[in-house]
Amino acid sequence: MRKYFVTATMVLFTAVSSLAQSTSGVEMADELRSSGKIYVVVAVITIILLALIGYLFSIDRKVKKLEKKN
Amino acid sequence: MKENWWKILASVLVIYSVWSGMLGSVPELPILHETIRNLYFHVPMWFTMVILYLISVIYSIKYLSSGNENHDLLAVECVNTGVVFGFLGLVTGMIWGNYTWGSPWPNDPKMNSAAISTLMYLAYLVLRNSLEEEQKRARISAVYNIFAFPVMIVLLFILPRLTDSLHPGNGGNPGFSSYDLDSRMRMVFYPACIGWILIGVWIATIQYRLRKLQNKQLN
């Protein structure tokens, strides 16, 4: 299940970041510092959301274990 | 795994809505500026709440016809989760309103209605806790829930439209379709709504399963 999740996330991230890249000018390795540093905020929110969703999945698994025991 | 596909879908949609919601292009409007992106996060909270209340009322009706206590449990847990999303909607709306309407609570009809409907559902939870006998509690709260749902719909979606409201789509203001939701925003807004609704349903089902386990232990 984790595998599916990771691949889905990777595909999404590449799709979005390719959209965000500018098509003109020289490519520089400072994507995280461009556009008023909004990417930093996006990264922070993504980590928070991923952690919360992972937490939800783990709670779900614990409940499933309890259900199987009963 | 197979029955979990919608949980993964929910996660992917929500993450996608954050990425595209923060990085995608939006219409440049006065007053709103970049806060227009709040549409992707504030409005789905309300949609999730309404869907959870809808599921709850469906299961309340089911309980009245079947007498199955699991239907009653699911109805309660949907309201429990829905109230959380309702509070998130109120608080995010207050922050947004503070910076665009000039006050966190400008006595907008839709805001007042939202507050009243949240109180109504809090009353539902209090009512349940005040009744000792299980079957009586389930039956009375199911009937209350069936009355509360249409009142909530009227308060949120009908009354604000009859007067002037700051919210788009109400009173003299144009709705989603005209100025604040172009086709680019739709591509983010709808996935965000579906994602958050699924997350809400997911949390409610976890609560429901836990409550069922607790009941089993008590018996």
Side-chain angles (χ1 to χ4, degrees):
Chain A
M1 189 176 91
R2 190 164 291 162
K3 223 196 246 166
Y4 282 98
F5 190 65
V6 169
T7 33
T9 334
M10 294 295 264
V11 167
L12 250 180
F13 191 67
T14 44
V16 171
S17 56
S18 63
L19 267 178
Q21 266 163 4
S22 64
T23 46
S24 63
V26 188
E27 196 94 338
M28 300 292 277
D30 54 3
E31 192 155 277
L32 274 171
R33 273 169 269 136
S34 62
S35 307
K37 301 190 184 179
I38 188 69
Y39 292 94
V40 183
V41 184
V42 175
V44 168
I45 298 175
T46 308
I47 285 173
I48 291 174
L49 271 178
L50 277 179
L52 283 177
I53 289 167
Y55 187 42
L56 255 180
F57 269 110
S58 86
I59 293 172
D60 204 325
R61 226 173 295 135
K62 275 180 205 160
V63 174
K64 195 170 255 172
K65 255 185 216 162
L66 271 176
E67 279 171 337
K68 270 184 190 155
K69 246 186 221 168
N70 281 4
Chain B
M1 170 62 219
K2 259 178 199 154
E3 71 266 30
N4 277 345
W5 64 271
W6 60 278
K7 296 169 186 172
I8 293 164
L9 176 72
S11 321
V12 170
L13 285 178
V14 167
I15 301 272
Y16 159 79
S17 79
V18 169
W19 286 345
S20 315
M22 299 290 276
L23 305 175
S25 58
V26 289
E28 284 162 24
L29 297 170
I31 302 171
L32 276 173
H33 302 288
E34 294 280 6
T35 70
I36 195 169
R37 298 176 195 275
N38 268 348
L39 180 87
Y40 305 138
F41 309 106
H42 164 74
V43 183
M45 297 296 120
W46 291 111
F47 283 8
T48 309
M49 183 197 79
V50 171
I51 295 293
L52 283 170
Y53 288 169
L54 176 69
I55 298 171
S56 171
V57 80
I58 289 170
Y59 276 88
S60 280
I61 295 169
K62 269 191 168 178
Y63 172 78
L64 285 182
S65 67
S66 72
N68 181 348
E69 74 166 330
N70 284 341
H71 291 162
D72 177 54
L73 286 185
L74 188 55
V76 193
E77 294 307 342
C78 279
V79 170
N80 269 330
T81 317
V83 166
V84 173
F85 278 93
F87 271 107
L88 283 175
L90 279 176
V91 173
T92 52
M94 279 165 73
I95 296 172
W96 195 3
N98 196 25
Y99 293 99
T100 49
W101 297 340
S103 149
W105 203 278
N107 272 326
D108 178 65
K110 198 152 188 162
M111 293 188 107
N112 289 338
S113 299
I116 295 167
S117 63
T118 303
L119 287 175
M120 215 164 55
Y121 276 93
L122 285 179
Y124 166 81
L125 296 172
V126 173
L127 172 77
R128 284 190 66 88
N129 288 334
S130 64
L131 293 167
E132 281 291 321
E133 209 225 311
E134 273 172 34
Q135 286 191 347
K136 200 182 194 180
R137 174 174 60 200
R139 218 166 340 114
I140 291 177
S141 57
V143 173
Y144 179 96
N145 197 12
I146 291 167
F147 279 105
F149 184 76
V151 176
M152 188 267 296
I153 294 293
V154 169
L155 277 171
L156 286 186
F157 299 107
I158 297 173
L159 286 183
R161 285 196 163 80
L162 299 178
T163 63
D164 268 335
S165 169
L166 292 163
H167 279 90
N170 297 289
N173 283 332
F176 277 160
S177 51
S178 49
Y179 78 94
D180 57 2
L181 200 60
D182 63 3
S183 55
R184 287 169 299 172
M185 289 188 81
R186 263 175 233 277
M187 288 302 292
V188 185
F189 178 63
Y190 294 140
C193 288
I194 297 168
W196 281 109
I197 287 169
L198 289 177
I199 294 255
V201 172
W202 182 11
I203 296 172
T205 53
I206 290 179
Q207 295 248 50
Y208 161 67
R209 284 154 64 194
L210 273 178
R211 185 69 88 92
K212 226 167 49 174
L213 283 173
Q214 273 177 345
N215 273 14
K216 231 183 225 172
Q217 272 185 335
L218 286 176
N219 293 334

